[in-house]
Amino acid sequence: MTASSTRRTTAARSRLAAVGAIAVAGALLLTGCGDQTENGGSDSTDTATKSAAPLADKLPQQIRDKGVIKVGSDIAYAPVEFKDSSGKTVGIDPDLAAAMGKQLGVTFEFENGTFDTLLTGLRSKRYDIAMSAMTDTKDRQEGIDSDTGKKVGEGVDFVDYFTAGVSIYTKKGDDQGIKTWSDLCGKKIVLQRGTVSEDLAKAEAKKCPKNKKLTIEAFDNDQQAQTRLRAGGADAGSSDFPVAAYAVKTSGGGNDFQLVGEQVEAAPYGIAVAKGNAQLRDALQAALDAVIANGEYDKIIEKWGVEDGAVEKATINGGK
């Protein structure tokens, strides 16, 4: 659910090898050395805990005691997060969360919610974090409603972990002459409510001539939008590139949809954390950096075929 202040195409980029493994290894060695007690022994339990979860002491004590981080997520956005045929929550985000959980000694529990309510749930403390292909933007950092420009909350901090752009897709073999966003004038587009695809469509609609109105139909989740397009109820759909590409590859055995044009608005996905919770934010950043350094990040990104969006390090509030 991607955004940026400047539209641009996303070029495939090569990644430098992740660095810092030596530093992480050093940290592990240090955590393995427990304080000596007066009788010459050591706290073996504490040492074992730190060895199994080397970054556990970075978490707020309340979360360490619970052993759980509650995650607000729209679990209908394959391949980022979705339910598999057995009902299990799978995808890029759950895999990364599991890897980070090993570093922190906690379990990330994903709770389903509609995308446009996740930050509200974070503010009300229903969730500890929101992790749902959420684009890190200045508006979200500052609690600004992108439609009205008015402040609606205190905003959030982001731990950025991936980069993605926005794509348009159509029924396969029927692109309606659509190659760019300007080609949508006079057409109908379906998308998910509260996403940057919706922001882009609204911005484009304002540019269309009166006799070529762009009609926008927004849904609670992306799967509903895909169903509408598949049934012939629209001319095009839009979502983040990884999601659109996955739908093109998998829906109808690859026979339902096709991508048109190039992705735009390359921007970072971020894990949202409430303002004032810097300790949790920084613990997540440290865990993600450790996962990048030990190679687990690369394996997860490659597993889901989204290498072009990989990052070299975790960044705080990198969105523009």
Side-chain angles (χ1 to χ4, degrees), residues 232-284:
D235 300 300
S238 176
S239 58
D240 291 1
F241 171 74
V243 177
Y246 189 82
V248 167
K249 181 179 179 181
T250 61
S251 182
N255 295 316
D256 287 345
F257 304 127
Q258 65 184 42
L259 291 171
V260 295
E262 297 182 330
Q263 58 176 309
V264 300
E265 300 286 347
Y269 283 172
I271 304 169
V273 184
K275 292 286 189 185
N277 203 348
Q279 186 177 359
L280 175 57
R281 178 200 67 196
D282 293 348
L284 294 172

Side-chain angles (χ1 to χ4, degrees), residues 14-313:
S14 61
R15 292 186 64 234
L16 297 175
V19 296
I22 295 176
V24 172
L28 290 172
L29 289 173
L30 289 174
T31 57
C33 299
D35 292 338
Q36 298 299 309
T37 61
E38 291 181 359
N39 62 9
S42 65
D43 189 339
S44 59
T45 300
D46 186 56
T47 300
T49 299
K50 288 183 177 181
S51 177
L55 301 178
D57 59 357
K58 289 185 174 294
L59 285 170
Q61 189 62 49
Q62 183 180 13
I63 289 180
R64 292 181 65 185
D65 291 343
K66 291 190 303 181
V68 170
I69 293 177
K70 292 184 177 181
V71 185
S73 187
D74 172 23
I75 309 175
Y77 211 60
V80 187
E81 51 262 317
F82 63 105
K83 300 282 189 180
D84 66 11
S85 58
S86 69
K88 180 182 178 182
T89 299
V90 298
I92 300 166
D93 284 358
D95 282 356
L96 286 175
M100 294 165 64
K102 289 189 290 185
Q103 296 292 323
L104 295 168
V106 294
T107 300
F108 286 67
E109 289 186 355
F110 280 70
E111 297 184 13
N112 195 28
T114 54
F115 183 76
D116 58 352
T117 66
L118 295 182
L119 293 186
T120 301
L122 186 60
R123 287 195 294 269
S124 67
K125 298 184 179 181
R126 178 179 177 181
Y127 315 122
D128 297 309
I129 64 174
M131 189 175 187
S132 189
M134 183 174 289
T135 302
D136 175 0
T137 68
K138 286 295 183 184
D139 280 353
R140 286 174 175 156
Q141 291 172 25
E142 297 170 3
I144 303 296
D145 185 302
S146 58
D147 280 340
T148 65
K150 295 181 179 179
K151 192 169 180 63
V152 294
E154 64 181 355
V156 296
D157 286 330
F158 285 99
V159 180
D160 298 338
Y161 64 96
F162 190 75
T163 300
V166 175
S167 292
I168 301 171
Y169 58 98
T170 66
K171 293 186 71 174
K172 192 166 186 176
D174 186 19
D175 66 12
Q176 301 281 317
I178 299 168
K179 299 298 181 185
T180 68
W181 282 84
S182 61
D183 295 328
L184 291 169
C185 293
K187 310 292 186 183
K188 181 177 181 180
I189 189 169
V190 289
L191 39 74
Q192 182 173 359
R193 186 179 298 108
T195 65
V196 178
S197 287
E198 185 178 29
D199 292 342
L200 288 172
K202 287 179 177 178
E204 197 62 49
K206 294 177 182 178
K207 304 175 187 177
C208 292
K210 292 182 179 180
N211 63 338
K212 294 187 69 177
K213 180 182 177 182
L214 168 56
T215 301
I216 303 167
E217 188 172 4
F219 294 86
D220 284 342
N221 63 60
D222 200 68
Q223 292 176 353
Q224 293 169 347
Q226 291 177 24
T227 299
R228 182 69 162 166
L229 179 61
R230 192 182 298 112
D235 300 300
S238 176
S239 58
D240 291 1
F241 171 74
V243 177
Y246 189 82
V248 167
K249 181 179 179 181
T250 61
S251 182
N255 295 316
D256 287 345
F257 304 127
Q258 65 184 42
L259 291 171
V260 295
E262 297 182 330
Q263 58 176 309
V264 300
E265 300 286 347
Y269 283 172
I271 304 169
V273 184
K275 292 286 189 185
N277 203 348
Q279 186 177 359
L280 175 57
R281 178 200 67 196
D282 293 348
L284 294 172
Q285 182 187 30
L288 183 58
D289 276 334
V291 169
I292 291 172
N294 69 18
E296 286 190 84
Y297 179 90
D298 282 342
K299 292 178 182 178
I300 293 166
I301 296 300
E302 290 169 6
K303 170 185 173 181
W304 294 104
V306 291
E307 294 93 330
D308 286 351
V311 299
E312 297 173 20
K313 64 179 181 179

